[in-house]
Amino acid sequence: MNCEILAVGTELLLGEIANTDAQMISLGLSELGINVYHHTVVGDNPARLSAALEIAKNRSDIIITTGGLGPTADDLTKETIAACFGKKLYMDKEQQERLHQRMGARMTPNNEKQAMLPEGCEVLVNDWGTAPGCAFYAEGCHVLMLPGPPSECTPMFKYRARPYLERLCTDGQIIRSRFIKIFGLGESAMEDKLSYLMNTLTNPTAAPYAKEGECEVRVTARAASEKEAYALIDPVVAEIRGVLGDVVYGVDVSSLEEVVVKGLTEKGLTVATAESCTGGLLGKRLTDIAGSSACYVGGAITYSNEMKMKLLGVKKETLEAFGAVSAETALEMARGVRALTGADVGVSTTGIAGPGGGTPEKPVGTVYIGISAEGLDKVIKPDPRYMRSRQRVRNSTASHVFNLIRQEILEK
Amino acid sequence: MNCEILAVGTELLLGEIANTDAQMISLGLSELGINVYHHTVVGDNPARLSAALEIAKNRSDIIITTGGLGPTADDLTKETIAACFGKKLYMDKEQQERLHQRMGARMTPNNEKQAMLPEGCEVLVNDWGTAPGCAFYAEGCHVLMLPGPPSECTPMFKYRARPYLERLCTDGQIIRSRFIKIFGLGESAMEDKLSYLMNTLTNPTAAPYAKEGECEVRVTARAASEKEAYALIDPVVAEIRGVLGDVVYGVDVSSLEEVVVKGLTEKGLTVATAESCTGGLLGKRLTDIAGSSACYVGGAITYSNEMKMKLLGVKKETLEAFGAVSAETALEMARGVRALTGADVGVSTTGIAGPGGGTPEKPVGTVYIGISAEGLDKVIKPDPRYMRSRQRVRNSTASHVFNLIRQEILEK
């Protein structure tokens, strides 16, 4: 089975937004073993949408469209697709009623248009917005229509389109995956270590993915039930964890900061941050996680030397002898923020994020990370070779901090 | 003239990355007045790339491809396009020499492949990576090939493809734009105020864009010289600034935080941050700007009440009487961080980012922002209706803080 993802929206062609829906759907389809051979984007233009549909239905088994389901005159996806497949639209009373309930006084006549659906379709009920999606099979092709806004498209794919597709491609079986998350090992090194497994497994399969500064392995199984699927998956996950060792920071978790927040909260420990080169990014990423207030007390952003001394008690002699970007300063910052806040764990960053400020001895990307806790005082210096831009230095530094908390506090 | 953007890369179809190149190129083309009618993505597959090229050359005046120019066996864009337009590839000695110089000892025989180019093409020299791009005209179609990695594609478009395209579509004239950046006014309200201008102007033109939580107007002129273009643009920019007033935060600037960093640095003022609900995001966004150390001294992240008292001197009675999320606490935080750091300006955030923690009196999205400086103590409470998710509450709060610094400090 192969699928084409056809996005409808002039805003994409004007460059106002990137086509993140196509990325999200592609990831989901690869999990189902459905090949994606084409992404296409057209504007809110019925003639060009029709032409794109004609092309798509001749080369694809499944067409998933995003966008153009709304109430305005521009929103022409359903009308155009129905015409292209020789179907009429009907007013779906149940969806009309849902719209009235959802919109109340805001309901206008043109909003009713959203409840017009192609005859014989399966309605994909939208619990995250107003426009319902739908799916039908015609002319040898499965067509699924999803709304465009990512806040609707993502759950509509996961909870509505995915079960429909799962029925199509698994002969009644279901598909489940686990994601093994890795920090501190490159994608090609990971593939070298796991190629013996990835090349021989058939059910489950194991596939590598590279993410910004991290990588992951997805283990996917088909089985009659969820329980049987995980029974196939879990021994492989255990084997991969064994082969890769400590670079695996979690399974089915979203990020290093999530692991840190959950882990510290479970242990009843608190953490405080002392940031120089990351300038608030450590706190930002920790507090991206809802519930982080259970373990994160806060900290200090000390961008200047004066603030490092004043807020964190870094010694003037240390700054003069070793510089602000040094192991000694990093350690005093971590100790200092722990003393300042009374947190169980203090972490710190100091480095040269660039683009200016580098020297031959301390080039851009030179970073020291400190951690201090009961019986622990440690500084690491990540390899600066992979830190090529200001954003990358800062993001990678923050990830190293969270990984250090995991290794030194959560897994000891 | 209309253009199709054809991306080549299996990583896009697997969902590993979003097609941000297409977004960037689309934005640039709209500035040149070139219509984009299609984005297409195919994998590293010569048959499907050939088929996509056949479709594109029948419907588009210009085809811009991204990706597939590298040294590996997967990189087949040039070979496939050349075959599709009946052209041979030749070894470009100059590019071969550049590759040797750039790669030195890392140069391997398959790297040479990158210097193979279609006969009769114009070389688009790549100063940002190894693979050169190229452009040619054949069968009624202009074809431009750019490398895929965004760090190469973006400057290659701006400095190589854009001048080529400018020659095509302006009869020897050049095109220049200014971007008017707006915070605190919705896109439709902005269009209402400016429709009299946008509908009547021809050279320059004025076009609105919505960005996440902000909007902008792009004013674009064609003229024989840069000077003449800006002579057409600048009176319109002045008129729009006059109509919109204080919601315009800058022209040709990238962000509110850039305006703040530049403005404070010019005035020789320093700022410190006291963050509760933003948890480090204020510092993160300020320090995203290279050179921010000239005005940003740092500050405190006080996620807990205890830290608000301990680090910032917020009074226990204030927290008990009004709560952590209150105008009174926000003001004491802003004053406190100014006293703590000695900065000229102190700013603070306290609020309920969600998803939990909301009450009927203080729903999710309730945020207070404080600012304190010589002769200034002020608190604002942004409208919570537009703050629907944790990320949006936090991002919008940070933008309001920067806008407040602009209004109260930079423009007074």
Side-chain angles (χ1 to χ4, degrees):
Chain A
M1 292 268 241
N2 75 77
C3 179
E4 173 154 359
I5 302 170
L6 175 52
V8 186
T10 301
E11 68 278 16
L12 289 158
L13 298 180
L14 289 172
E16 292 184 3
I17 52 171
N19 193 2
T20 53
D21 286 342
Q23 181 186 12
M24 176 274 299
I25 294 170
S26 295
L27 264 179
L29 292 173
S30 80
E31 200 180 334
L32 293 174
I34 296 172
N35 292 314
V36 179
Y37 288 155
H38 300 89
H39 293 175
T40 305
V41 182
V42 295
D44 303 313
N45 176 293
R48 283 191 286 273
L49 174 55
S50 287
L53 284 165
E54 288 300 331
I55 293 169
K57 78 184 182 190
N58 286 318
R59 66 187 180 188
S60 306
D61 305 315
I62 304 166
I63 302 171
I64 300 179
T65 70
T66 58
L69 303 184
T72 74
D74 279 352
D75 291 307
L76 290 163
T77 302
K78 280 181 305 186
E79 294 81 342
T80 309
I81 290 178
C84 198
F85 285 86
K87 287 180 171 284
K88 286 185 182 156
L89 294 178
Y90 72 100
M91 175 59 72
D92 188 293
K93 296 291 173 197
E94 211 176 307
Q95 296 305 314
Q96 188 183 23
E97 180 54 35
R98 274 183 68 91
L99 274 172
H100 278 278
Q101 285 181 1
R102 194 174 175 109
M103 303 198 66
R106 290 178 298 136
M107 188 82 184
T108 59
N110 60 346
N111 271 313
E112 300 248 333
K113 180 164 119 48
Q114 297 177 89
M116 297 289 290
L117 292 167
E119 287 178 330
C121 74
E122 180 175 326
V123 179
L124 305 178
V125 176
N126 186 347
D127 282 329
W128 305 272
T130 55
C134 63
F136 63 76
Y137 180 73
E139 301 181 34
C141 197
H142 289 274
V143 181
L144 292 85
M145 299 175 220
L146 302 177
S151 59
E152 299 179 34
C153 191
T154 302
M156 284 288 283
F157 177 77
K158 185 172 176 187
Y159 298 108
R160 300 291 183 265
R162 197 184 185 286
Y164 181 100
L165 296 167
E166 209 171 52
R167 289 200 305 271
L168 293 186
C169 59
T170 58
D171 306 317
Q173 296 199 299
I174 62 159
I175 294 176
R176 288 296 178 270
S177 298
R178 290 209 194 279
F179 298 83
I180 304 171
K181 309 285 283 225
I182 294 149
F183 179 78
L185 185 72
E187 193 193 10
S188 53
M190 177 187 79
E191 287 189 41
D192 283 348
K193 290 191 178 197
L194 297 180
S195 59
Y196 80 98
L197 253 181
M198 297 199 272
N199 295 336
T200 53
L201 285 173
T202 54
N203 190 24
T205 58
Y209 288 84
K211 302 250 164 176
E212 201 193 335
E214 300 190 8
C215 54
E216 66 182 56
V217 181
R218 194 184 63 203
V219 182
T220 303
R222 294 173 182 232
S225 71
E226 192 161 89
K227 197 178 160 194
E228 288 172 66
Y230 288 126
L232 291 166
I233 290 169
D234 289 338
V236 174
V237 169
E239 175 163 355
I240 291 174
R241 290 194 82 136
V243 171
L244 297 182
D246 188 51
V247 296
V248 175
Y249 71 77
V251 175
D252 293 345
V253 294
S254 70
S255 62
L256 276 161
E257 49 267 41
E258 185 193 305
V259 169
V260 164
V261 166
K262 284 195 177 163
L264 289 174
T265 304
E266 276 170 26
K267 289 196 171 227
L269 296 174
T270 57
V271 64
T273 50
E275 307 190 52
S276 184
C277 65
T278 49
L281 180 60
L282 291 184
K284 186 262 177 199
R285 282 178 59 176
L286 286 170
T287 58
D288 278 342
I289 310 296
S292 48
S293 56
C295 67
Y296 181 54
V297 299
I301 304 172
T302 55
Y303 221 48
S304 67
N305 279 355
E306 204 190 326
M307 290 302 122
K308 288 182 184 73
M309 294 187 284
K310 205 164 166 179
L311 268 65
L312 299 174
V314 174
K315 291 193 220 80
K316 198 175 181 195
E317 305 82 64
T318 305
L319 291 167
E320 282 174 356
F322 305 102
V325 178
S326 64
E328 292 76 7
T329 298
L331 194 56
E332 289 189 19
M333 288 173 68
R335 282 181 183 156
V337 80
R338 201 176 149 224
L340 177 72
T341 62
D344 298 306
V345 183
V347 288
S348 67
T349 63
T350 181
I352 299 160
T359 64
E361 296 76 38
K362 293 180 182 176
V364 168
T366 303
V367 170
Y368 293 89
I369 293 168
I371 187 166
S372 175
E374 180 68 36
L376 171 72
D377 275 318
K378 186 168 178 174
V379 177
I380 64 167
K381 180 174 182 291
D383 189 335
R385 282 176 302 173
Y386 303 104
M387 305 211 187
R388 292 201 198 113
S389 71
R390 184 173 177 87
Q391 298 313 343
R392 204 180 285 191
V393 172
R394 286 153 52 84
N395 274 322
S396 171
T397 299
S399 295
H400 274 286
V401 170
F402 301 140
N403 197 48
L404 190 62
I405 296 173
R406 176 182 74 84
Q407 291 176 318
E408 297 293 333
I409 306 292
L410 302 181
E411 297 184 358
K412 286 267 159 100
Chain B
M1 293 269 238
N2 75 77
C3 179
E4 173 155 358
I5 302 170
L6 175 52
V8 185
T10 302
E11 68 279 16
L12 289 157
L13 299 180
L14 288 173
E16 292 184 4
I17 53 172
N19 193 2
T20 54
D21 286 342
Q23 181 185 14
M24 177 273 299
I25 294 169
S26 295
L27 264 178
L29 293 172
S30 81
E31 199 180 335
L32 294 173
I34 296 173
N35 292 314
V36 179
Y37 288 155
H38 300 90
H39 293 175
T40 306
V41 182
V42 295
D44 303 313
N45 176 293
R48 284 191 285 273
L49 174 54
S50 287
L53 284 165
E54 289 300 331
I55 293 168
K57 78 183 182 191
N58 286 320
R59 67 187 181 188
S60 306
D61 304 316
I62 303 166
I63 302 171
I64 300 179
T65 70
T66 58
L69 303 185
T72 74
D74 278 353
D75 291 308
L76 291 162
T77 302
K78 282 181 304 186
E79 293 81 342
T80 309
I81 290 178
C84 198
F85 285 86
K87 289 181 170 285
K88 285 186 181 154
L89 294 178
Y90 72 101
M91 175 60 72
D92 187 293
K93 295 291 172 197
E94 213 174 305
Q95 296 305 314
Q96 188 183 22
E97 179 54 34
R98 274 183 66 90
L99 273 173
H100 278 278
Q101 283 180 3
R102 196 177 172 104
M103 302 198 67
R106 290 179 299 138
M107 188 80 184
T108 57
N110 60 344
N111 271 311
E112 299 249 333
K113 179 163 122 47
Q114 297 177 89
M116 297 291 289
L117 292 167
E119 287 177 328
C121 74
E122 181 176 326
V123 179
L124 305 178
V125 176
N126 186 347
D127 283 329
W128 305 272
T130 55
C134 64
F136 64 75
Y137 179 73
E139 302 181 34
C141 198
H142 289 275
V143 181
L144 291 86
M145 301 176 220
L146 301 176
S151 59
E152 300 179 34
C153 191
T154 302
M156 284 289 283
F157 177 77
K158 185 171 176 188
Y159 298 109
R160 301 289 182 265
R162 197 184 185 286
Y164 180 100
L165 296 166
E166 210 171 53
R167 289 199 305 272
L168 292 186
C169 59
T170 59
D171 305 319
Q173 297 200 298
I174 61 157
I175 294 176
R176 289 294 178 273
S177 299
R178 290 207 194 279
F179 297 82
I180 304 171
K181 309 285 283 224
I182 294 149
F183 179 79
L185 185 72
E187 193 192 10
S188 54
M190 176 186 81
E191 288 188 40
D192 283 348
K193 291 191 177 196
L194 297 180
S195 59
Y196 81 98
L197 254 181
M198 297 198 276
N199 297 334
T200 54
L201 286 173
T202 53
N203 190 26
T205 57
Y209 289 83
K211 302 249 164 179
E212 200 194 336
E214 301 190 9
C215 54
E216 67 181 57
V217 181
R218 193 185 61 203
V219 182
T220 303
R222 292 172 184 234
S225 70
E226 192 161 270
K227 198 178 159 193
E228 289 172 66
Y230 287 125
L232 291 165
I233 291 170
D234 289 337
V236 174
V237 169
E239 177 164 354
I240 292 173
R241 291 194 81 136
V243 171
L244 296 182
D246 188 51
V247 296
V248 175
Y249 72 78
V251 175
D252 293 345
V253 293
S254 70
S255 62
L256 277 162
E257 49 268 40
E258 184 192 306
V259 169
V260 164
V261 167
K262 284 193 178 165
L264 290 174
T265 303
E266 275 169 28
K267 289 197 172 225
L269 296 174
T270 55
V271 64
T273 50
E275 307 190 52
S276 184
C277 65
T278 48
L281 180 60
L282 292 183
K284 186 263 178 197
R285 282 178 59 176
L286 287 170
T287 58
D288 278 342
I289 311 296
S292 48
S293 56
C295 67
Y296 181 54
V297 299
I301 304 172
T302 55
Y303 221 49
S304 67
N305 279 355
E306 204 190 328
M307 290 301 121
K308 289 181 183 72
M309 294 188 281
K310 201 163 169 180
L311 269 63
L312 300 173
V314 174
K315 291 194 220 78
K316 196 175 182 197
E317 304 81 64
T318 306
L319 291 167
E320 282 173 358
F322 305 102
V325 178
S326 65
E328 291 78 6
T329 297
L331 193 57
E332 289 189 20
M333 287 173 69
R335 283 181 182 155
V337 80
R338 202 178 146 221
L340 177 71
T341 61
D344 298 307
V345 183
V347 288
S348 67
T349 62
T350 181
I352 298 161
T359 64
E361 296 76 37
K362 293 180 182 174
V364 168
T366 303
V367 170
Y368 293 90
I369 293 168
I371 186 166
S372 176
E374 180 67 36
L376 171 72
D377 274 317
K378 187 169 178 173
V379 177
I380 63 167
K381 180 174 181 293
D383 189 334
R385 282 177 302 173
Y386 302 105
M387 306 210 186
R388 292 203 197 111
S389 70
R390 184 174 178 86
Q391 298 312 343
R392 205 180 283 191
V393 172
R394 286 153 51 85
N395 273 322
S396 172
T397 299
S399 295
H400 275 284
V401 170
F402 301 139
N403 197 48
L404 190 63
I405 295 172
R406 176 182 74 84
Q407 292 176 318
E408 297 293 333
I409 306 293
L410 302 182
E411 297 182 357
K412 286 269 158 100

